[in-house]
Amino acid sequence: MSTTTPAPYDPGPGTEYSYPLSDYARATARALGKDWDAESGYLGAWGLIITTDGRVSLRLYVDGDGSVGDLMLEDRSTGREHLVPPFHLPESAPHTPDEMREWGEQLALFVFSLGL
């Protein structure tokens, strides 16, 4: 009987996750409307979602604590962190502009639910 060891999972760059988190922030700002904007964090690893009047500044990032990273929004004025519940989000990572727009719309709904 022959046994083979499966090859380690090693997707090519950009195939598993096509967009950095800063793109999620930009899609969210677009969905929130003309009074919102976004900025990229270091290497796109996080993004800021901000109001154009500076009233609200949210950092979108993945929390590395625990066994699985969680998508988080941090209110930079208060330091409060909000876990983005997975049921608020599409089922898989976006690979097309339309899928990214859908992510932005769902994240915008979550921001609205926070009353910011």
Side-chain angles (χ1 to χ4, degrees):
M1 176 180 222
S2 171
T3 61
T4 59
T5 304
Y9 181 68
D10 188 20
T15 58
E16 185 174 25
Y17 301 107
S18 302
Y19 296 98
L21 278 177
S22 59
D23 286 341
Y24 291 65
R26 291 189 188 289
T28 303
R30 277 192 295 278
L32 286 166
K34 65 179 181 71
D35 295 331
W36 291 82
D37 200 358
E39 295 180 9
S40 296
Y42 181 70
L43 296 176
W46 51 272
L48 293 179
I49 304 164
I50 54 178
T51 54
T52 55
D53 65 4
R55 184 180 52 82
V56 177
S57 177
L58 304 170
R59 184 171 69 106
L60 179 69
Y61 68 101
V62 172
D63 181 8
D65 291 341
S67 60
V68 178
D70 294 315
L71 190 60
M72 305 290 290
L73 276 174
E74 175 192 16
D75 184 333
R76 295 182 67 214
S77 65
T78 65
R80 282 191 65 201
E81 295 177 314
H82 306 276
L83 168 67
V84 180
F87 63 83
H88 276 279
L89 302 172
E91 204 166 295
S92 61
H95 292 286
T96 67
D98 286 340
E99 290 172 352
M100 178 53 76
R101 186 182 66 250
E102 183 182 353
W103 270 81
E105 290 167 354
Q106 293 305 310
L107 286 166
L109 289 173
F110 181 70
V111 170
F112 281 131
S113 77
L114 297 175
L116 301 173

